[in-house]
Amino acid sequence: MADYDVVIIGAGAAGLTLAHRLGQINDRRDPPLRTAVLEPPPGPHTPPRRTWCFWEAGPGPWDHLLAASWEDLSVIGPDGAEHRSPAGPYAYKMLRSTDVDAHVRASAGAAVEFRPLFVRDTEDGPEHATVRALAPGGEHLRLTARWVFDSRPPGTPQGGRTRLLQHFRGWFVRMEDDAFDPAAAVLMDLRPPQPAHGVAFGYVLPLSSREALVEYTEFGREALTTAEYERALTDYCERSGLHGAEVTASEQGAIPMTDARPRTRVGRRLFRIGAAGGATRPSTGYTFSGTARQTAAVARALERGRVPVPPVPHRPRHLAMDAVMLRALDSGRVAGADFFTGLFAANRLGDVLAFLDGDSRPPREFVMGLTTPVAAMSLSTADHLWYSLRSRVPAPSREGVSRRGRGVSR
């Protein structure tokens, strides 16, 4: 018998949400699913604290842990014009990773075990998978499980044509006097200087009347240095009137934005979840909502005794449209600031959020598409279709190639 029913590698958003769902299953299951969550021990390999933002219609399962939420959202164009429209039925929500981590550990139940281990490699097998790990004291361990879900950050994506990054740095700031409306957030401010390819923007998420998360973000091919982010944030705070802001904490990261399609199943009993399993929406870099849908499907399969293959939580047509948009940005056919300003200025914010979360319908998507640079997007669509067709045509075999000067083909 395997050591565990389920092993989860990594205790980020994907690992924690899956562990949380398995704890809920165990409340009504006998026997419970024996689960281990493997994560590096505290130290230099521990992932930094971060915030997870997403939008959701109505109340949700994490509402009691929210750091803040906003229903009043706005987008600011390069010229400083503010575009505000109803976000309903959605609210934009923020979670702190530390709060989610503490809650899941406290509520997952005795059958879910958190083990501080350095995972070295995994091996598939017909009856169980094997995880080889190193304990903090140097002991080599070999754990077996019926199913293994790896949520560690993905490496360089394989395949695909466009490979951008959403890279960012944010400051948690505190002002001496009231400077923010806690009920209103700036979702995208396109006033920062723009790169030659991609887009740059800031956003402001108030936590109180005097505190906020202020972030600088780019969609581009390469991340910046910390010093470059600091200069960009200083400039953005000046543009936003946040003079004399005290920086109390910071966060920084990079999220792949690509048309590559990662595999969620990499063996008979080995799977990838979260960003590693395609939960990131390519056009936005948002991952939390996709991860929630993906881990819910895995938990349902485990509860029903089925093979728990994680689904890619985005519709194929949305992934195709994302590939076109990424190609248009990367090629320089569209100016990112103009693209997003036009999109948000001409459409209800709630409709745009529905599309970006995969909850929209084709007729509305078509109308929304007419508010983007039609000629440039049409050219990028044709380019993408041609590339897709060419990439599906198998290369001719060596045996079937005619060899001029040596007679007919064999």
Side-chain angles (χ1 to χ4, degrees):
M1 186 174 68
D3 299 317
Y4 296 97
D5 295 303
V6 175
V7 161
I8 301 168
I9 302 175
L16 289 172
T17 52
L18 181 55
H20 179 65
R21 293 187 185 279
L22 296 186
Q24 293 176 322
I25 288 175
N26 288 339
D27 288 340
R28 54 183 181 267
R29 191 180 190 278
D30 188 24
L33 291 169
R34 296 165 298 129
T35 302
V37 181
L38 312 183
E39 57 180 341
H45 297 281
T46 303
R49 298 177 179 180
R50 61 188 62 198
T51 57
W52 296 321
C53 290
F54 59 103
W55 51 91
E56 189 172 40
W62 302 103
D63 281 1
H64 63 294
L65 295 178
L66 292 178
S69 66
W70 310 268
E71 295 181 5
D72 187 353
L73 304 175
S74 62
V75 172
I76 301 175
D79 59 356
E82 185 176 11
H83 305 282
R84 183 175 297 191
S85 67
Y90 298 99
Y92 193 71
K93 303 180 179 184
M94 177 197 286
L95 288 167
R96 297 182 189 270
S97 61
T98 49
D99 294 336
V100 176
D101 183 275
H103 173 70
V104 172
R105 289 174 189 269
S107 62
V112 179
E113 181 182 0
F114 287 80
R115 301 191 61 173
L117 298 173
F118 296 100
V119 173
R120 302 180 67 85
D121 58 54
T122 59
E123 181 181 339
D124 199 19
E127 301 298 328
H128 58 75
T130 301
V131 179
R132 295 182 180 85
L134 190 65
E139 179 187 2
H140 290 269
L141 299 178
R142 179 179 176 274
L143 307 177
T144 59
R146 291 182 60 207
W147 312 109
V148 172
F149 298 90
D150 194 342
S151 70
R152 289 175 294 181
T156 303
Q158 299 299 313
R161 188 184 190 190
T162 306
R163 298 179 183 178
L164 300 179
L165 292 173
Q166 179 188 142
H167 54 93
F168 56 89
R169 182 171 174 83
W171 284 344
F172 289 88
V173 301
R174 180 184 295 127
M175 306 296 293
E176 290 187 1
D177 301 310
D178 291 352
F180 307 108
D181 178 358
V186 176
L187 185 65
M188 184 175 268
D189 185 338
L190 293 149
R191 289 178 294 168
Q194 297 296 311
H197 297 273
V199 66
F201 58 93
Y203 60 84
V204 181
L205 304 180
L207 303 173
S208 71
S209 60
R210 298 189 182 188
E211 296 175 301
L213 170 61
V214 180
E215 198 131 326
Y216 174 82
T217 301
E218 284 190 18
F219 297 173
R221 297 178 182 176
E222 295 182 356
L224 306 181
T225 64
T226 299
E228 289 171 324
Y229 287 123
E230 294 282 300
R231 287 194 293 270
L233 276 166
T234 300
D235 178 70
Y236 180 61
C237 284
E238 291 295 319
R239 290 175 185 271
S240 302
L242 302 177
H243 308 290
E246 176 192 359
V247 179
T248 61
S250 63
E251 65 176 21
Q252 184 170 319
I255 301 169
M257 303 177 73
T258 176
D259 58 347
R261 302 289 180 89
R263 292 185 300 155
T264 62
R265 187 173 193 175
V266 292
R268 284 168 290 190
R269 298 182 177 274
L270 295 174
F271 308 98
R272 294 193 181 112
I273 56 173
T280 301
R281 182 69 190 265
S283 62
T284 67
Y286 283 91
T287 306
F288 193 84
S289 292
T291 294
R293 293 192 292 269
Q294 188 178 67
T295 54
V298 168
R300 284 194 300 270
L302 287 169
E303 186 170 22
R304 296 168 183 173
R306 299 174 181 172
V307 178
V309 180
V312 174
H314 308 295
R315 292 186 172 96
R317 75 171 187 275
H318 292 150
L319 293 176
M321 287 187 278
D322 287 359
V324 170
M325 191 210 78
L326 292 177
R327 184 61 184 165
L329 283 177
D330 191 41
S331 65
R333 291 194 184 103
V334 301
D338 294 339
F339 176 90
F340 286 106
T341 300
L343 181 66
F344 283 103
N347 298 279
R348 285 185 65 258
L349 190 55
D351 290 337
V352 179
L353 294 180
F355 167 70
L356 296 177
D357 204 39
D359 202 27
S360 54
R361 297 292 180 264
R364 185 60 204 160
E365 293 166 5
F366 176 76
V367 173
M368 204 177 300
L370 296 178
T371 66
T372 66
V374 175
M377 295 301 288
S378 297
L379 181 58
S380 295
T381 300
D383 181 11
H384 176 69
L385 290 173
W386 175 242
Y387 169 79
S388 298
L389 289 172
R390 283 195 310 160
S391 63
R392 291 175 184 174
V393 176
S397 67
R398 186 176 298 273
E399 294 297 319
V401 176
S402 176
R403 306 168 88 180
R404 295 178 182 268
R406 294 192 179 187
V408 298
S409 61
R410 293 159 48 185

